[in-house]
Amino acid sequence: MKPNRRNFIKNVTAASALLATESFAKPFHIIKDLKKISPNDKIRFATIGMGIQGNSDTKAALRSSKDVEFVAAADLYDGRLTRVKEVYGKDIFTTRDYRQILERKDIDAVLVVTPDHWHDHITKAALQAGKNVYCEKPMVHHINEGLSVIDAWKKSGKTMQVGSQRISSASFKEAKRLFQAGEIGEINYVESNNDRFNSIGAWNYSIPTDASPSTVDWDTYLGDAPKHAFDAKRFFRWRNYQDYGTGVGGDLFVHLITGVHFVTNSLGPERVMSSGELSYWKDGRDVPDVLVSILDYPKTDIHANFQMVLRVNFANAGAIANNTRIIGTEGQIEFTENNLVLTKKKLPKAPGMGGYDSFNTFSEEQQKEFKKQYDAQYPEDTRKAEPVKEVRFEAPKEDDAHANHFRDFFENVKKGSVGTVEDPVFGFRAAAPVLACNESYFSKKIVHWDPVAMKMKKK
């Protein structure tokens, strides 16, 4: 019999699993390229969770490559399964039970696009079933779930990507290049915000008129969440509730933190503190709609210590400018997903004198002595700063961060590589600070985190 891709994958699984059981503290590139997919084969994928993001991810995945094929979908609401066939074709296999997808040998990859409380369960089951996994952010619902997902990935030897797609944009890549080139000197402060001012933006998504226990698999949806009577709002607006989601942190802060980690190569903060309130959207939700978090990042071999301040306001009736500013000793990089402005500004070597300065309070004799000393210490050429330099970058119109992110995932699937741009270690190092922001808010305490060991520290 002529060897084919699936026989090859089957034959190498045992070897790759053996290699992958090494501690994840050790280099993991040793299993790269063990399970290659033929360039002539299409990667067949399924999406688990066909809500707003599930559809967006599916479409981006299809845009990313001609070598992928959407073959199956799972969702707990019947109407979404009907819609899958209307949009993507009547031949798409649909089911309420995601396990039926994991059992299929002809599916290479799954997109896990469920409410947050199902991320770790389905991801680990998919990896154990031999599937490559694209898991939406945040990778986990609780901090104590992160290491088990990483361990499952290491043991599986499969490709896994976490879905915070902005880091695959041209703008974020340019920000990384400029930062790594030292264009802003030593980092000392980061400021990032993501405000909104509309009901849908505040997660009050439309609810279908046929939502009921007969059209929604409510018991399965609850999973390991606390038992609760059927409530269509808790299903279709799940981000509003701690039982299933991670609030503004898990929806929005995670993008901001992911971007900063991508640009700076940081491993994460060591101290996190949050303050906020439920200010406007008092509709039964139990997560804040205004949140500010301060994260302290320690000095490492690759960057100075710095502070990051994150903000979300879901009732911002003022000017909204959602961006990130990375500030250093010689300038700043201000960027969004689509554009970037580098402002480079260096101080002169001479500190200056006169003006609003204590020099004017000295006696006349002391002023003369001080000026004589100053002139000797600071020649004329040290008293002028370099001209302010501004560089603007606009992402190409054809740049598609979402498709780029999936392209990276599928290219690694094809090579049998684990080296995605946002692997589970990177994904957890972005998710954990987000979950720590929530922990700080609800406990009203400072949270201490070990960014290297990826564990909570007791203080």
Side-chain angles (χ1 to χ4, degrees), residues 182-189 326-334 342-346 389:
E183 290 287 348
I184 63 169
E186 283 202 336
I187 185 174
N188 54 46
Y189 182 75
I326 298 180
I327 301 169
T329 56
E330 297 180 10
Q332 74 167 26
I333 301 171
E334 182 174 354
L342 164 69
T343 305
K344 194 169 179 63
K345 185 191 303 182
K346 294 179 69 172
K389 171 181 156 186

Side-chain angles (χ1 to χ4, degrees), residues 179-195:
F179 180 84
Q180 299 298 335
E183 290 287 348
I184 63 169
E186 283 202 336
I187 185 174
N188 54 46
Y189 182 75
V190 176
E191 180 180 81
S192 197
N193 54 77
N194 203 322
D195 293 344

Side-chain angles (χ1 to χ4, degrees), residues 17 52 115 200 204 233 271 286 288 295 362 383 386-387 403-404 452:
I52 302 168
I200 291 178
N204 285 334
K233 287 184 177 180
R271 198 168 71 138
D286 58 15
L295 298 84
F362 300 166
R383 303 180 190 186
E386 294 180 10
N404 294 344
V452 178

Side-chain angles (χ1 to χ4, degrees), residues 278-394:
L278 184 54
S279 173
Y280 183 84
W281 297 102
K282 299 177 182 179
D283 49 12
R285 69 183 65 199
D286 58 15
V287 292
D289 56 8
V290 174
L291 188 66
V292 177
S293 294
I294 300 173
L295 298 84
D296 291 336
Y297 281 70
K299 176 179 173 58
T300 70
D301 292 339
I302 56 176
H303 63 68
N305 58 294
F306 65 94
Q307 184 182 83
M308 178 156 65
V309 177
L310 306 176
R311 188 195 76 226
V312 164
N313 180 356
F314 270 3
N316 184 356
I320 295 178
N322 293 331
N323 57 11
T324 296
R325 293 196 307 142
I326 298 180
I327 301 169
T329 56
E330 297 180 10
Q332 74 167 26
I333 301 171
E334 182 174 354
F335 60 103
T336 68
E337 187 175 328
N338 300 313
N339 56 65
L340 174 152
V341 178
L342 164 69
T343 305
K344 194 169 179 63
K345 185 191 303 182
K346 294 179 69 172
L347 289 171
K349 290 182 180 180
M353 58 173 285
Y356 190 76
D357 181 23
S358 58
F359 172 82
N360 298 309
T361 68
F362 300 166
S363 67
E364 186 174 332
E365 181 181 356
Q366 182 53 224
Q367 286 186 21
K368 290 178 181 179
E369 286 297 319
F370 182 89
K371 189 172 186 308
K372 181 180 178 182
Q373 182 186 57
Y374 186 91
D375 290 341
Q377 186 174 357
Y378 299 108
E380 193 66 33
D381 61 354
T382 68
R383 303 180 190 186
K384 292 183 179 179
E386 294 180 10
V388 175
K389 171 181 156 186
E390 184 176 282
V391 176
R392 292 182 175 271
F393 174 85
E394 293 284 342

Side-chain angles (χ1 to χ4, degrees), residues 133-366:
V133 175
Y134 182 102
C135 178
E136 262 303 329
K137 54 76 187 169
M139 189 179 82
V140 292
H141 190 215
H142 300 108
I143 287 182
N144 61 10
E145 298 162 351
L147 294 182
S148 66
V149 171
I150 293 171
D151 187 53
W153 168 61
K154 298 289 186 181
K155 289 177 179 177
S156 75
K158 308 303 292 186
T159 303
M160 182 170 168
Q161 177 93 294
V162 179
S164 189
Q165 68 272 5
R166 297 180 191 180
I167 62 173
S168 292
S169 70
S171 179
F172 275 57
K173 292 175 183 176
E174 179 65 6
K176 183 181 183 75
R177 186 189 71 79
L178 292 170
F179 180 84
Q180 299 298 335
E183 290 287 348
I184 63 169
E186 283 202 336
I187 185 174
N188 54 46
Y189 182 75
V190 176
E191 180 180 81
S192 197
N193 54 77
N194 203 322
D195 293 344
R196 293 178 177 176
F197 189 56
N198 62 81
S199 185
I200 291 178
W203 308 323
N204 285 334
Y205 307 131
S206 301
I207 297 174
T209 58
D210 68 347
S212 72
S214 63
T215 60
V216 172
D217 187 346
W218 177 252
D219 289 338
T220 297
Y221 169 74
L222 289 178
D224 62 357
K227 297 303 177 186
H228 196 285
F230 175 77
D231 184 339
K233 287 184 177 180
R234 295 177 79 89
F235 183 86
F236 291 96
R237 298 176 179 175
W238 58 269
R239 290 193 184 279
N240 290 331
Y241 306 96
Q242 296 175 60
D243 288 345
Y244 327 110
T246 46
V248 295
D251 186 23
L252 301 173
F253 278 7
V254 69
H255 282 304
L256 309 180
I257 292 174
T258 300
V260 171
H261 286 191
F262 174 73
V263 171
T264 65
N265 287 335
S266 176
L267 300 182
E270 60 182 0
R271 198 168 71 138
V272 178
M273 61 207 90
S274 298
S275 178
E277 62 182 0
L278 184 54
S279 173
Y280 183 84
W281 297 102
K282 299 177 182 179
D283 49 12
R285 69 183 65 199
D286 58 15
V287 292
D289 56 8
V290 174
L291 188 66
V292 177
S293 294
I294 300 173
L295 298 84
D296 291 336
Y297 281 70
K299 176 179 173 58
T300 70
D301 292 339
I302 56 176
H303 63 68
N305 58 294
F306 65 94
Q307 184 182 83
M308 178 156 65
V309 177
L310 306 176
R311 188 195 76 226
V312 164
N313 180 356
F314 270 3
N316 184 356
I320 295 178
N322 293 331
N323 57 11
T324 296
R325 293 196 307 142
I326 298 180
I327 301 169
T329 56
E330 297 180 10
Q332 74 167 26
I333 301 171
E334 182 174 354
F335 60 103
T336 68
E337 187 175 328
N338 300 313
N339 56 65
L340 174 152
V341 178
L342 164 69
T343 305
K344 194 169 179 63
K345 185 191 303 182
K346 294 179 69 172
L347 289 171
K349 290 182 180 180
M353 58 173 285
Y356 190 76
D357 181 23
S358 58
F359 172 82
N360 298 309
T361 68
F362 300 166
S363 67
E364 186 174 332
E365 181 181 356
Q366 182 53 224

Side-chain angles (χ1 to χ4, degrees), residues 47 49-58 113 136 163 165 239 402:
T47 304
M50 289 302 300
I52 302 168
Q53 193 63 34
N55 275 275
S56 179
D57 279 355
T58 300
V113 203
E136 262 303 329
Q165 68 272 5
R239 290 193 184 279
H402 207 166

